[in-house]
Amino acid sequence: MHDDVETFDAGAQYIWFDLLSPIPTETKYVEDKFSIAIPTRDEMEDIELSARLYQEDGAQFMTMTMLAGLEGDEPIRTPVTFILKENCLITVRYADTLPFRQSTSRLLKGPAAISLAGEMAMLGILEAVIDRTADVLERIGREIDTISREVFRSKTSNATKKTRNLQSVIEQIGQKGDFLTAVSEGLVSISRLVAYHAAVEQPGRKMSKETRQVIKLLQRDGASLGDHAAFLSSKINFLLDATLGLINLEQNQIIKIFSVAAVVFLPPTLVASMYGMNFEVMPELRWEYGYPFAIAMMIVSAAMPFLYFKRRGWL
């Protein structure tokens, strides 16, 4: 078989067929072996719930949205389909993610590492996804705290430089917001899958106590992480509003300075305009001290509003 297909077995009983970017011959082999129709990638990407969670040919088909590339700032959404039939798990995916690698390593350690059932293998993968999501949310929380300190404890005195810094902060906030949206989508997808699997009824199926405990744990952890993601999203929205408010304050400060400057220079301009008129009878034009007097009037008329604004705290 192709290298992208891994099988894990206990003796002669296979418990997991892992189809990673399968070629047609691999897909046909699994379809013939289990008498099922494996969904195509386009079908896996359908958002309708009925196209993601259903039963067919005695098998459960459960598709969820998983995130790849969580190490960076731009995670990639990729569909993953879990198929349970005859105590065997079949996974169809198109990205190599850390939870699958961890689950593979755990299974390869030996039968004692996991219960010999495809259902438990699936739940083990979902546990790894939940753990990975928790680590990612912790990292995003730390990065959001760093952004918060940059917003509220900036020591930059230069208004232009500070505004540029805040604009950069808005870009970071946008990236974190998109990241959290993708994480929340993945958590909702997991919750739906687990809830469907717990509720589905099949002839002869009896869920063990261990399985019920694992499902409850997954549901509880998923809900807890969903609440934490919602908290981080609200914090992101607060930081965005605060950053926009600070930028408006900086811009208003600049406009205020121009307004004060215009008021301060208005009286000197009036004085200069008066003595720039071309009337024949203007006594000060022939006065020996007329020029110094006009200069003094302009300085005084500019200083008075400036000192008034300073005293009122407008500068």
Side-chain angles (χ1 to χ4, degrees):
M1 296 179 69
H2 189 257
D3 291 340
D4 287 341
V5 175
E6 294 187 65
T7 59
F8 301 92
D9 65 288
Q13 180 186 5
Y14 290 102
I15 64 170
W16 182 13
F17 283 79
D18 185 26
L19 303 178
L20 174 58
S21 301
I23 59 177
T25 54
E26 296 168 348
T27 301
K28 188 175 187 307
Y29 172 82
V30 176
E31 288 180 336
D32 293 342
K33 182 176 180 62
F34 292 96
S35 300
I36 59 174
I38 293 179
T40 64
R41 185 167 188 174
D42 290 338
E43 292 172 341
M44 292 167 60
E45 291 176 345
D46 287 343
I47 61 174
E48 294 88 351
L49 199 60
S50 59
R52 290 193 156 218
L53 305 171
Y54 61 94
Q55 294 186 70
E56 187 177 86
D57 299 324
Q60 294 181 46
F61 291 79
M62 296 164 285
T63 301
M64 61 170 284
T65 299
M66 187 175 288
L67 300 181
L70 290 174
E71 298 79 9
D73 291 327
E74 297 181 0
I76 301 172
R77 296 175 176 87
T78 180
V80 176
T81 296
F82 296 90
I83 306 171
L84 287 175
K85 186 174 183 181
E86 299 176 1
N87 205 34
C88 181
L89 170 67
I90 304 159
T91 54
V92 185
R93 57 194 176 103
Y94 294 88
D96 188 16
T97 56
L98 182 61
F100 272 89
R101 292 197 296 270
Q102 292 174 339
S103 299
T104 301
S105 300
R106 187 167 66 251
L107 280 171
L108 289 175
K109 290 179 181 178
I114 192 170
S115 300
L116 298 179
E119 181 180 37
M120 291 304 298
M122 180 188 74
L123 296 178
I125 296 171
L126 295 178
E127 281 185 310
V129 173
I130 290 288
D131 292 341
R132 177 62 171 157
T133 303
D135 294 339
V136 169
L137 286 177
E138 288 180 3
R139 190 195 79 195
I140 296 177
R142 291 192 297 267
E143 293 174 350
I144 291 175
D145 289 339
T146 301
I147 294 174
S148 179
R149 288 192 294 270
E150 186 175 349
V151 170
F152 295 110
R153 301 178 188 177
S154 177
K155 298 181 180 179
T156 303
S157 58
N158 186 290
T160 303
K161 186 176 180 180
K162 187 173 183 179
T163 301
R164 289 175 181 172
N165 290 342
L166 291 176
Q167 290 174 345
S168 174
V169 166
I170 289 179
E171 294 178 0
Q172 297 178 47
I173 290 174
Q175 290 178 350
K176 302 308 173 191
D178 290 341
F179 204 126
L180 284 172
T181 299
V183 170
S184 298
E185 181 182 344
L187 288 171
V188 170
S189 184
I190 292 175
S191 298
R192 288 176 175 173
L193 188 152
V194 174
Y196 172 82
H197 177 65
V200 72
E201 295 182 0
Q202 284 184 323
R205 181 196 178 201
K206 185 177 181 181
M207 191 176 294
S208 66
K209 182 178 179 181
E210 180 184 3
T211 302
R212 288 196 299 268
Q213 289 177 343
V214 173
I215 288 176
K216 288 182 180 179
L217 181 63
L218 288 174
Q219 291 176 325
R220 186 186 63 189
D221 290 346
S224 176
L225 291 179
D227 293 340
H228 188 56
F231 165 73
L232 292 178
S233 295
S234 64
K235 192 172 183 179
I236 280 289
N237 291 330
F238 167 73
L239 285 176
L240 179 60
D241 293 339
T243 304
L244 293 174
L246 289 174
I247 290 177
N248 288 333
L249 287 175
E250 293 294 332
Q251 293 176 342
N252 291 338
Q253 183 69 19
I254 295 173
I255 294 174
K256 184 177 73 173
I257 292 173
F258 280 111
S259 300
V260 170
V263 173
V264 167
F265 287 105
L266 182 60
T269 303
L270 178 62
V271 174
S273 299
M274 290 175 58
Y275 288 105
M277 293 186 290
N278 296 323
F279 293 110
E280 292 184 2
V281 183
M282 293 186 70
E284 293 86 358
L285 292 178
R286 299 182 183 277
W287 185 26
E288 181 180 356
Y289 300 104
Y291 178 72
F293 176 75
I295 296 295
M297 284 186 63
M298 286 188 283
I299 293 176
V300 170
S301 62
M304 288 179 63
F306 176 81
L307 294 175
Y308 176 77
F309 292 150
K310 191 78 172 177
R311 184 176 181 182
R312 293 296 298 269
W314 295 348
L315 291 176

